[in-house]
Amino acid sequence: EVQLVESGGGLVQPGRSLKLSCAASGFTFSNYYMAWVRQAPTKGLEWVASITNSGGSTYYRDSVKGRFTISRDNAKSTLYLQMDSLRSEDTATYYCTRDGRIAHFDYWGQGVMVTVSS
Amino acid sequence: DIVMTQAPLSVSVTPGESASISCRSSKSLLHSNGITYVYWYLQKPGKSPQLLIYRMSNLASGVPDRFSGSGSETDFTLKISRVEAEDVGIYYCGQLLENPPTFGGGTKLELK
């Protein structure tokens, strides 16, 4: 059974940093692209970043470029999102999702809440 | 960025009846390889999104065949036949033709 379990969320002040993790199991992690998608309270879905299966290429939405870094450790089957210089508009539930390349975003984690507030 | 526009914002359906949700893209989602990169997701109340339809008309694993997707290059439809209580939630269309992937604003399905 495919499982994606996020951790690392919480309350953080504007300008500070936070690192999210996503532990994957039930599939060969190193074969899949992965992504982070977020959802602000009562809002819709917003793609944040993606990473290729090897980690050799990464992609970001414009609003997080230069502030967020997506990475992965295939030996640990874990995906990360380092978030620096956080802003109030980054407040959201962050979902880890598998990108099946055919069936994109075919599995999602339970989500982790990030609140940026002073 | 490609803009995805959904209609209606909400729909109320009698159990056992059918429901249709529309989605329009600001650009053709038909790739030169013949694949149309539109996807449908359902977010049940308090849950994470789940994939329903990929590449416009392909049913994701484990999804009941009451769900179907169709469309053209820019206009797409999700149809739910014989709506059940478990179908309640917010439906999102999304495009994965090009970066950044973008989603529609969502359509809330409720039961009458």
Side-chain angles (χ1 to χ4, degrees):
Chain A
E1 178 194 6
V2 173
Q3 282 199 313
L4 300 170
V5 180
E6 302 97 335
S7 60
L11 173 64
V12 62
Q13 293 179 327
R16 305 297 292 263
S17 299
L18 206 59
K19 187 172 185 176
L20 306 182
S21 299
C22 171
S25 61
F27 65 101
T28 304
F29 184 70
S30 59
N31 286 351
Y32 288 84
Y33 286 33
M34 297 293 294
W36 291 96
V37 174
R38 68 185 179 185
Q39 186 172 35
T42 72
K43 300 296 184 182
L45 303 174
E46 183 175 81
W47 171 80
V48 176
S50 291
I51 187 168
T52 56
N53 58 315
S54 67
S57 293
T58 56
Y59 310 89
Y60 301 92
R61 68 177 303 104
D62 285 348
S63 62
V64 308
K65 276 181 190 173
R67 300 189 299 121
F68 288 14
T69 303
I70 188 172
S71 62
R72 64 193 296 161
D73 185 334
N74 285 344
K76 294 183 178 179
S77 295
T78 302
L79 177 72
Y80 303 101
L81 185 66
Q82 175 68 44
M83 303 185 293
D84 299 323
S85 303
L86 281 161
R87 305 168 180 168
S88 58
E89 55 264 36
D90 297 319
T91 293
T93 295
Y94 285 73
Y95 295 100
C96 164
T97 177
R98 189 178 83 166
D99 186 345
R101 304 310 293 162
I102 294 178
H104 289 277
F105 305 160
D106 57 353
Y107 287 92
W108 299 62
Q110 85 285 356
V112 62
M113 185 68 198
V114 173
T115 303
V116 184
S117 174
S118 55
Chain B
D1 297 0
I2 296 176
V3 177
M4 304 294 285
T5 304
Q6 289 184 235
L9 286 178
S10 66
V11 60
S12 184
V13 185
T14 300
E17 298 294 310
S18 295
S20 289
I21 298 170
S22 297
C23 175
R24 176 169 291 176
S25 59
S26 61
K27 174 182 175 178
S28 172
L29 300 184
L30 175 62
H31 191 278
S32 56
N33 62 11
I35 297 170
T36 303
Y37 287 88
V38 66
Y39 293 69
W40 290 94
Y41 302 87
L42 165 61
Q43 187 171 30
K44 296 181 180 181
K47 301 294 186 181
S48 304
Q50 62 181 93
L51 177 66
L52 295 175
I53 301 286
Y54 63 96
R55 296 185 173 183
M56 192 171 72
S57 59
N58 296 276
L59 211 58
S61 177
V63 176
D65 61 7
R66 300 182 290 101
F67 291 87
S68 62
S70 63
S72 61
E73 296 186 22
T74 59
D75 289 275
F76 312 100
T77 302
L78 175 70
K79 184 176 180 180
I80 312 165
S81 304
R82 306 179 305 280
V83 168
E84 299 182 3
E86 66 177 21
D87 301 335
V88 165
I90 301 176
Y91 290 79
Y92 295 95
C93 62
Q95 69 79 20
L96 285 106
L97 177 68
E98 59 185 46
N99 280 333
T102 49
F103 299 91
T107 296
K108 187 174 186 178
L109 185 145
E110 301 173 313
L111 297 182
K112 283 183 180 174

